[in-house]
PDB file of all heavy atoms in Angstrom:
ATOM      1  N   PRO A  92       7.398  36.850 -20.142  1.00 92.00           N
ATOM      2  CA  PRO A  92       6.814  36.713 -21.478  1.00 92.00           C
ATOM      3  C   PRO A  92       7.559  37.639 -22.432  1.00 92.00           C
ATOM      4  O   PRO A  92       7.748  38.808 -22.118  1.00 92.00           O
ATOM      5  CB  PRO A  92       5.363  37.190 -21.293  1.00 92.00           C
ATOM      6  CG  PRO A  92       5.101  37.130 -19.834  1.00 92.00           C
ATOM      7  CD  PRO A  92       6.421  37.291 -19.142  1.00 92.00           C
ATOM      8  N   ASN A  93       8.029  37.099 -23.556  1.00 92.00           N
ATOM      9  CA  ASN A  93       8.801  37.943 -24.466  1.00 92.00           C
ATOM     10  C   ASN A  93       8.311  37.849 -25.903  1.00 92.00           C
ATOM     11  O   ASN A  93       9.066  37.507 -26.798  1.00 92.00           O
ATOM     12  CB  ASN A  93      10.291  37.587 -24.395  1.00 92.00           C
ATOM     13  CG  ASN A  93      10.559  36.124 -24.712  1.00 92.00           C
ATOM     14  OD1 ASN A  93       9.618  35.350 -24.859  1.00 92.00           O
ATOM     15  ND2 ASN A  93      11.808  35.754 -24.840  1.00 92.00           N
ATOM     16  N   PRO A  94       7.023  38.171 -26.136  1.00 92.00           N
ATOM     17  CA  PRO A  94       6.568  38.161 -27.531  1.00 92.00           C
ATOM     18  C   PRO A  94       7.290  39.242 -28.323  1.00 92.00           C
ATOM     19  O   PRO A  94       7.732  40.236 -27.750  1.00 92.00           O
ATOM     20  CB  PRO A  94       5.074  38.474 -27.420  1.00 92.00           C
ATOM     21  CG  PRO A  94       4.904  39.159 -26.133  1.00 92.00           C
ATOM     22  CD  PRO A  94       5.958  38.611 -25.224  1.00 92.00           C
ATOM     23  N   PHE A  95       7.412  39.018 -29.627  1.00 91.00           N
ATOM     24  CA  PHE A  95       7.999  40.040 -30.479  1.00 91.00           C
ATOM     25  C   PHE A  95       7.016  41.200 -30.603  1.00 91.00           C
ATOM     26  O   PHE A  95       5.806  41.000 -30.508  1.00 91.00           O
ATOM     27  CB  PHE A  95       8.275  39.477 -31.875  1.00 91.00           C
ATOM     28  CG  PHE A  95       9.277  38.367 -31.876  1.00 91.00           C
ATOM     29  CD1 PHE A  95       8.994  37.169 -32.516  1.00 91.00           C
ATOM     30  CD2 PHE A  95      10.499  38.512 -31.249  1.00 91.00           C
ATOM     31  CE1 PHE A  95       9.919  36.130 -32.525  1.00 91.00           C
ATOM     32  CE2 PHE A  95      11.427  37.479 -31.253  1.00 91.00           C
ATOM     33  CZ  PHE A  95      11.125  36.289 -31.899  1.00 91.00           C
ATOM     34  N   PRO A  96       7.513  42.403 -30.840  1.00 88.00           N
ATOM     35  CA  PRO A  96       6.609  43.545 -31.032  1.00 88.00           C
ATOM     36  C   PRO A  96       5.926  43.477 -32.393  1.00 88.00           C
ATOM     37  O   PRO A  96       6.101  44.344 -33.225  1.00 88.00           O
ATOM     38  CB  PRO A  96       7.533  44.759 -30.921  1.00 88.00           C
ATOM     39  CG  PRO A  96       8.888  44.247 -31.236  1.00 88.00           C
ATOM     40  CD  PRO A  96       8.917  42.803 -30.853  1.00 88.00           C
ATOM     41  N   LYS A  97       5.174  42.417 -32.596  1.00 88.00           N
ATOM     42  CA  LYS A  97       4.467  42.217 -33.858  1.00 88.00           C
ATOM     43  C   LYS A  97       3.046  41.796 -33.542  1.00 88.00           C
ATOM     44  O   LYS A  97       2.678  41.684 -32.377  1.00 88.00           O
ATOM     45  CB  LYS A  97       5.153  41.107 -34.667  1.00 88.00           C
ATOM     46  CG  LYS A  97       6.533  41.456 -35.109  1.00 88.00           C
ATOM     47  CD  LYS A  97       7.190  40.240 -35.733  1.00 88.00           C
ATOM     48  CE  LYS A  97       8.638  40.538 -36.067  1.00 88.00           C
ATOM     49  NZ  LYS A  97       8.812  41.544 -37.109  1.00 88.00           N
ATOM     50  N   SER A  98       2.271  41.494 -34.585  1.00 90.00           N
ATOM     51  CA  SER A  98       0.904  41.065 -34.339  1.00 90.00           C
ATOM     52  C   SER A  98       0.908  39.657 -33.740  1.00 90.00           C
ATOM     53  O   SER A  98       1.910  38.939 -33.796  1.00 90.00           O
ATOM     54  CB  SER A  98       0.106  41.075 -35.634  1.00 90.00           C
ATOM     55  OG  SER A  98       0.552  40.042 -36.472  1.00 90.00           O
ATOM     56  N   ILE A  99      -0.224  39.282 -33.161  1.00 93.00           N
ATOM     57  CA  ILE A  99      -0.361  37.952 -32.576  1.00 93.00           C
ATOM     58  C   ILE A  99      -0.073  36.887 -33.633  1.00 93.00           C
ATOM     59  O   ILE A  99       0.714  35.958 -33.415  1.00 93.00           O
ATOM     60  CB  ILE A  99      -1.783  37.783 -31.998  1.00 93.00           C
ATOM     61  CG1 ILE A  99      -1.974  38.773 -30.838  1.00 93.00           C
ATOM     62  CG2 ILE A  99      -2.035  36.360 -31.551  1.00 93.00           C
ATOM     63  CD1 ILE A  99      -3.413  38.929 -30.398  1.00 93.00           C
ATOM     64  N   TYR A 100      -0.693  37.075 -34.803  1.00 93.00           N
ATOM     65  CA  TYR A 100      -0.498  36.126 -35.904  1.00 93.00           C
ATOM     66  C   TYR A 100       0.981  36.013 -36.268  1.00 93.00           C
ATOM     67  O   TYR A 100       1.536  34.915 -36.348  1.00 93.00           O
ATOM     68  CB  TYR A 100      -1.313  36.604 -37.113  1.00 93.00           C
ATOM     69  CG  TYR A 100      -1.255  35.679 -38.308  1.00 93.00           C
ATOM     70  CD1 TYR A 100      -2.261  34.742 -38.540  1.00 93.00           C
ATOM     71  CD2 TYR A 100      -0.199  35.737 -39.217  1.00 93.00           C
ATOM     72  CE1 TYR A 100      -2.207  33.898 -39.636  1.00 93.00           C
ATOM     73  CE2 TYR A 100      -0.127  34.898 -40.303  1.00 93.00           C
ATOM     74  CZ  TYR A 100      -1.143  33.984 -40.509  1.00 93.00           C
ATOM     75  OH  TYR A 100      -1.084  33.139 -41.587  1.00 93.00           O
ATOM     76  N   ASP A 101       1.623  37.171 -36.452  1.00 92.00           N
ATOM     77  CA  ASP A 101       3.022  37.160 -36.897  1.00 92.00           C
ATOM     78  C   ASP A 101       3.955  36.539 -35.859  1.00 92.00           C
ATOM     79  O   ASP A 101       4.965  35.937 -36.210  1.00 92.00           O
ATOM     80  CB  ASP A 101       3.497  38.579 -37.223  1.00 92.00           C
ATOM     81  CG  ASP A 101       2.923  39.064 -38.543  1.00 92.00           C
ATOM     82  OD1 ASP A 101       2.488  38.202 -39.325  1.00 92.00           O
ATOM     83  OD2 ASP A 101       2.892  40.284 -38.770  1.00 92.00           O
ATOM     84  N   ASN A 102       3.611  36.688 -34.586  1.00 93.00           N
ATOM     85  CA  ASN A 102       4.422  36.053 -33.556  1.00 93.00           C
ATOM     86  C   ASN A 102       4.458  34.542 -33.729  1.00 93.00           C
ATOM     87  O   ASN A 102       5.519  33.929 -33.664  1.00 93.00           O
ATOM     88  CB  ASN A 102       3.875  36.393 -32.174  1.00 93.00           C
ATOM     89  CG  ASN A 102       4.651  37.500 -31.502  1.00 93.00           C
ATOM     90  OD1 ASN A 102       5.722  37.269 -30.976  1.00 93.00           O
ATOM     91  ND2 ASN A 102       4.116  38.701 -31.561  1.00 93.00           N
ATOM     92  N   VAL A 103       3.280  33.969 -33.954  1.00 94.00           N
ATOM     93  CA  VAL A 103       3.216  32.511 -34.077  1.00 94.00           C
ATOM     94  C   VAL A 103       3.791  32.062 -35.413  1.00 94.00           C
ATOM     95  O   VAL A 103       4.510  31.061 -35.495  1.00 94.00           O
ATOM     96  CB  VAL A 103       1.764  32.010 -33.903  1.00 94.00           C
ATOM     97  CG1 VAL A 103       1.731  30.493 -33.940  1.00 94.00           C
ATOM     98  CG2 VAL A 103       1.185  32.525 -32.600  1.00 94.00           C
ATOM     99  N   VAL A 135      -8.192  34.911 -28.794  1.00 92.00           N
ATOM    100  CA  VAL A 135      -7.557  35.851 -29.734  1.00 92.00           C
ATOM    101  C   VAL A 135      -7.977  35.662 -31.189  1.00 92.00           C
ATOM    102  O   VAL A 135      -7.516  36.404 -32.056  1.00 92.00           O
ATOM    103  CB  VAL A 135      -6.007  35.759 -29.658  1.00 92.00           C
ATOM    104  CG1 VAL A 135      -5.526  36.077 -28.264  1.00 92.00           C
ATOM    105  CG2 VAL A 135      -5.518  34.393 -30.109  1.00 92.00           C
ATOM    106  N   VAL A 138      -8.797  38.783 -33.027  1.00 92.00           N
ATOM    107  CA  VAL A 138      -7.875  39.937 -32.961  1.00 92.00           C
ATOM    108  C   VAL A 138      -6.461  39.527 -33.354  1.00 92.00           C
ATOM    109  O   VAL A 138      -5.480  40.062 -32.846  1.00 92.00           O
ATOM    110  CB  VAL A 138      -7.860  40.565 -31.551  1.00 92.00           C
ATOM    111  CG1 VAL A 138      -9.175  41.251 -31.270  1.00 92.00           C
ATOM    112  CG2 VAL A 138      -7.566  39.528 -30.477  1.00 92.00           C
ATOM    113  N   LEU A 139      -6.359  38.594 -34.303  1.00 92.00           N
ATOM    114  CA  LEU A 139      -5.037  38.076 -34.665  1.00 92.00           C
ATOM    115  C   LEU A 139      -4.099  39.163 -35.195  1.00 92.00           C
ATOM    116  O   LEU A 139      -2.881  39.033 -35.130  1.00 92.00           O
ATOM    117  CB  LEU A 139      -5.177  36.978 -35.717  1.00 92.00           C
ATOM    118  CG  LEU A 139      -5.778  35.670 -35.207  1.00 92.00           C
ATOM    119  CD1 LEU A 139      -5.994  34.703 -36.345  1.00 92.00           C
ATOM    120  CD2 LEU A 139      -4.877  35.048 -34.151  1.00 92.00           C
ATOM    121  N   LYS A 140      -4.689  40.240 -35.729  1.00 90.00           N
ATOM    122  CA  LYS A 140      -3.851  41.304 -36.314  1.00 90.00           C
ATOM    123  C   LYS A 140      -3.417  42.325 -35.273  1.00 90.00           C
ATOM    124  O   LYS A 140      -2.662  43.243 -35.577  1.00 90.00           O
ATOM    125  CB  LYS A 140      -4.615  42.015 -37.444  1.00 90.00           C
ATOM    126  CG  LYS A 140      -4.980  41.115 -38.593  1.00 90.00           C
ATOM    127  CD  LYS A 140      -3.819  40.982 -39.580  1.00 90.00           C
ATOM    128  CE  LYS A 140      -4.060  39.826 -40.538  1.00 90.00           C
ATOM    129  NZ  LYS A 140      -2.824  39.144 -40.920  1.00 90.00           N
ATOM    130  N   LYS A 141      -3.938  42.173 -34.069  1.00 90.00           N
ATOM    131  CA  LYS A 141      -3.556  43.151 -33.038  1.00 90.00           C
ATOM    132  C   LYS A 141      -2.155  42.875 -32.519  1.00 90.00           C
ATOM    133  O   LYS A 141      -1.662  41.754 -32.591  1.00 90.00           O
ATOM    134  CB  LYS A 141      -4.555  43.094 -31.866  1.00 90.00           C
ATOM    135  CG  LYS A 141      -5.595  44.209 -31.934  1.00 90.00           C
ATOM    136  CD  LYS A 141      -6.586  44.105 -30.817  1.00 90.00           C
ATOM    137  CE  LYS A 141      -6.175  44.804 -29.563  1.00 90.00           C
ATOM    138  NZ  LYS A 141      -7.219  44.752 -28.537  1.00 90.00           N
ATOM    139  N   SER A 142      -1.535  43.918 -31.979  1.00 88.00           N
ATOM    140  CA  SER A 142      -0.177  43.746 -31.473  1.00 88.00           C
ATOM    141  C   SER A 142      -0.165  42.776 -30.293  1.00 88.00           C
ATOM    142  O   SER A 142      -1.038  42.827 -29.423  1.00 88.00           O
ATOM    143  CB  SER A 142       0.389  45.092 -31.031  1.00 88.00           C
ATOM    144  OG  SER A 142       1.555  44.879 -30.265  1.00 88.00           O
ATOM    145  N   ALA A 143       0.846  41.911 -30.256  1.00 90.00           N
ATOM    146  CA  ALA A 143       0.952  40.941 -29.166  1.00 90.00           C
ATOM    147  C   ALA A 143       1.142  41.633 -27.825  1.00 90.00           C
ATOM    148  O   ALA A 143       0.794  41.099 -26.776  1.00 90.00           O
ATOM    149  CB  ALA A 143       2.118  39.993 -29.435  1.00 90.00           C
ATOM    150  N   TRP A 144       1.667  42.850 -27.860  1.00 89.00           N
ATOM    151  CA  TRP A 144       1.927  43.564 -26.613  1.00 89.00           C
ATOM    152  C   TRP A 144       0.654  44.113 -25.992  1.00 89.00           C
ATOM    153  O   TRP A 144       0.680  44.651 -24.887  1.00 89.00           O
ATOM    154  CB  TRP A 144       2.948  44.686 -26.839  1.00 89.00           C
ATOM    155  CG  TRP A 144       4.336  44.143 -27.016  1.00 89.00           C
ATOM    156  CD1 TRP A 144       4.668  42.829 -27.122  1.00 89.00           C
ATOM    157  CD2 TRP A 144       5.555  44.862 -27.101  1.00 89.00           C
ATOM    158  NE1 TRP A 144       6.025  42.699 -27.274  1.00 89.00           N
ATOM    159  CE2 TRP A 144       6.588  43.917 -27.271  1.00 89.00           C
ATOM    160  CE3 TRP A 144       5.877  46.221 -27.058  1.00 89.00           C
ATOM    161  CZ2 TRP A 144       7.920  44.291 -27.389  1.00 89.00           C
ATOM    162  CZ3 TRP A 144       7.210  46.592 -27.184  1.00 89.00           C
ATOM    163  CH2 TRP A 144       8.221  45.633 -27.344  1.00 89.00           C
ATOM    164  N   SER A 145      -0.481  44.001 -26.714  1.00 90.00           N
ATOM    165  CA  SER A 145      -1.743  44.460 -26.133  1.00 90.00           C
ATOM    166  C   SER A 145      -2.367  43.369 -25.261  1.00 90.00           C
ATOM    167  O   SER A 145      -3.343  43.615 -24.570  1.00 90.00           O
ATOM    168  CB  SER A 145      -2.707  44.870 -27.243  1.00 90.00           C
ATOM    169  OG  SER A 145      -3.052  43.746 -28.024  1.00 90.00           O
ATOM    170  N   LEU A 146      -1.807  42.152 -25.289  1.00 92.00           N
ATOM    171  CA  LEU A 146      -2.361  41.069 -24.476  1.00 92.00           C
ATOM    172  C   LEU A 146      -1.919  41.198 -23.015  1.00 92.00           C
ATOM    173  O   LEU A 146      -0.945  41.881 -22.717  1.00 92.00           O
ATOM    174  CB  LEU A 146      -1.883  39.715 -25.019  1.00 92.00           C
ATOM    175  CG  LEU A 146      -2.308  39.358 -26.434  1.00 92.00           C
ATOM    176  CD1 LEU A 146      -1.633  38.079 -26.877  1.00 92.00           C
ATOM    177  CD2 LEU A 146      -3.814  39.212 -26.520  1.00 92.00           C
ATOM    178  N   SER A 147      -2.629  40.502 -22.133  1.00 91.00           N
ATOM    179  CA  SER A 147      -2.215  40.490 -20.732  1.00 91.00           C
ATOM    180  C   SER A 147      -0.980  39.601 -20.571  1.00 91.00           C
ATOM    181  O   SER A 147      -0.640  38.833 -21.470  1.00 91.00           O
ATOM    182  CB  SER A 147      -3.343  39.955 -19.864  1.00 91.00           C
ATOM    183  OG  SER A 147      -3.434  38.556 -20.037  1.00 91.00           O
ATOM    184  N   GLY A 148      -0.324  39.694 -19.413  1.00 90.00           N
ATOM    185  CA  GLY A 148       0.896  38.919 -19.186  1.00 90.00           C
ATOM    186  C   GLY A 148       0.698  37.423 -19.373  1.00 90.00           C
ATOM    187  O   GLY A 148       1.503  36.752 -20.008  1.00 90.00           O
ATOM    188  N   GLN A 150      -1.680  35.921 -21.088  1.00 92.00           N
ATOM    189  CA  GLN A 150      -1.939  35.621 -22.500  1.00 92.00           C
ATOM    190  C   GLN A 150      -0.644  35.675 -23.303  1.00 92.00           C
ATOM    191  O   GLN A 150      -0.409  34.839 -24.181  1.00 92.00           O
ATOM    192  CB  GLN A 150      -2.943  36.632 -23.071  1.00 92.00           C
ATOM    193  CG  GLN A 150      -4.360  36.417 -22.558  1.00 92.00           C
ATOM    194  CD  GLN A 150      -5.296  37.526 -23.032  1.00 92.00           C
ATOM    195  OE1 GLN A 150      -4.902  38.686 -23.106  1.00 92.00           O
ATOM    196  NE2 GLN A 150      -6.523  37.167 -23.349  1.00 92.00           N
ATOM    197  N   GLN A 151       0.188  36.666 -22.966  1.00 94.00           N
ATOM    198  CA  GLN A 151       1.472  36.771 -23.668  1.00 94.00           C
ATOM    199  C   GLN A 151       2.301  35.508 -23.475  1.00 94.00           C
ATOM    200  O   GLN A 151       2.934  35.017 -24.403  1.00 94.00           O
ATOM    201  CB  GLN A 151       2.267  37.973 -23.156  1.00 94.00           C
ATOM    202  CG  GLN A 151       1.717  39.302 -23.627  1.00 94.00           C
ATOM    203  CD  GLN A 151       2.652  40.460 -23.292  1.00 94.00           C
ATOM    204  OE1 GLN A 151       3.805  40.251 -22.951  1.00 94.00           O
ATOM    205  NE2 GLN A 151       2.144  41.667 -23.395  1.00 94.00           N
ATOM    206  N   GLN A 152       2.268  34.970 -22.243  1.00 92.00           N
ATOM    207  CA  GLN A 152       3.069  33.781 -21.988  1.00 92.00           C
ATOM    208  C   GLN A 152       2.521  32.590 -22.781  1.00 92.00           C
ATOM    209  O   GLN A 152       3.280  31.805 -23.324  1.00 92.00           O
ATOM    210  CB  GLN A 152       3.099  33.485 -20.478  1.00 92.00           C
ATOM    211  CG  GLN A 152       4.167  32.517 -20.042  1.00 92.00           C
ATOM    212  CD  GLN A 152       5.580  32.980 -20.336  1.00 92.00           C
ATOM    213  OE1 GLN A 152       5.952  33.191 -21.484  1.00 92.00           O
ATOM    214  NE2 GLN A 152       6.388  33.139 -19.305  1.00 92.00           N
ATOM    215  N   LEU A 154       0.991  32.897 -25.547  1.00 94.00           N
ATOM    216  CA  LEU A 154       1.374  33.178 -26.935  1.00 94.00           C
ATOM    217  C   LEU A 154       2.811  32.706 -27.187  1.00 94.00           C
ATOM    218  O   LEU A 154       3.120  32.142 -28.234  1.00 94.00           O
ATOM    219  CB  LEU A 154       1.259  34.677 -27.223  1.00 94.00           C
ATOM    220  CG  LEU A 154       1.627  35.103 -28.647  1.00 94.00           C
ATOM    221  CD1 LEU A 154       0.645  34.532 -29.655  1.00 94.00           C
ATOM    222  CD2 LEU A 154       1.680  36.613 -28.761  1.00 94.00           C
ATOM    223  N   CYS A 155       3.672  32.904 -26.195  1.00 94.00           N
ATOM    224  CA  CYS A 155       5.056  32.451 -26.351  1.00 94.00           C
ATOM    225  C   CYS A 155       5.118  30.928 -26.450  1.00 94.00           C
ATOM    226  O   CYS A 155       5.951  30.377 -27.174  1.00 94.00           O
ATOM    227  CB  CYS A 155       5.921  32.945 -25.191  1.00 94.00           C
ATOM    228  SG  CYS A 155       6.157  34.727 -25.221  1.00 94.00           S
ATOM    229  N   ARG A 158       4.066  30.149 -29.884  1.00 94.00           N
ATOM    230  CA  ARG A 158       5.156  30.474 -30.810  1.00 94.00           C
ATOM    231  C   ARG A 158       6.194  29.361 -30.825  1.00 94.00           C
ATOM    232  O   ARG A 158       6.711  28.987 -31.875  1.00 94.00           O
ATOM    233  CB  ARG A 158       5.790  31.794 -30.376  1.00 94.00           C
ATOM    234  CG  ARG A 158       6.924  32.253 -31.250  1.00 94.00           C
ATOM    235  CD  ARG A 158       7.463  33.577 -30.794  1.00 94.00           C
ATOM    236  NE  ARG A 158       8.094  33.488 -29.478  1.00 94.00           N
ATOM    237  CZ  ARG A 158       8.532  34.538 -28.795  1.00 94.00           C
ATOM    238  NH1 ARG A 158       8.383  35.757 -29.287  1.00 94.00           N
ATOM    239  NH2 ARG A 158       9.105  34.391 -27.625  1.00 94.00           N
TER     240      ARG A 158
ATOM    241  N   THR B 292       6.781  46.057 -37.038  1.00 69.00           N
ATOM    242  CA  THR B 292       6.464  45.552 -35.710  1.00 69.00           C
ATOM    243  C   THR B 292       4.984  45.257 -35.534  1.00 69.00           C
ATOM    244  O   THR B 292       4.572  44.116 -35.601  1.00 69.00           O
ATOM    245  CB  THR B 292       6.929  46.540 -34.635  1.00 69.00           C
ATOM    246  OG1 THR B 292       6.365  47.804 -34.921  1.00 69.00           O
ATOM    247  CG2 THR B 292       8.432  46.632 -34.627  1.00 69.00           C
ATOM    248  N   ALA B 293       4.178  46.282 -35.332  1.00 60.00           N
ATOM    249  CA  ALA B 293       2.768  46.034 -35.039  1.00 60.00           C
ATOM    250  C   ALA B 293       2.087  45.392 -36.231  1.00 60.00           C
ATOM    251  O   ALA B 293       2.716  45.039 -37.206  1.00 60.00           O
ATOM    252  CB  ALA B 293       2.082  47.344 -34.653  1.00 60.00           C
ATOM    253  N   SER B 294       0.780  45.248 -36.144  1.00 42.00           N
ATOM    254  CA  SER B 294       0.056  44.543 -37.193  1.00 42.00           C
ATOM    255  C   SER B 294       0.111  45.333 -38.491  1.00 42.00           C
ATOM    256  O   SER B 294       0.225  46.537 -38.503  1.00 42.00           O
ATOM    257  CB  SER B 294      -1.384  44.364 -36.761  1.00 42.00           C
ATOM    258  OG  SER B 294      -1.869  45.586 -36.269  1.00 42.00           O
TER     259      SER B 294
END
Side-chain angles (χ1 to χ4, degrees):
Chain A
N93 57 353
F95 297 129
K97 295 172 185 294
S98 70
I99 295 167
Y100 183 97
D101 285 341
N102 260 282
V103 184
V135 301
V138 290
L139 289 175
K140 298 276 166 214
K141 260 178 88 176
S142 166
W144 286 7
S145 65
L146 298 174
S147 74
Q150 288 174 323
Q151 287 189 14
Q152 195 61 299
L154 180 66
C155 291
R158 180 178 66 187
Chain B
T292 54
S294 47

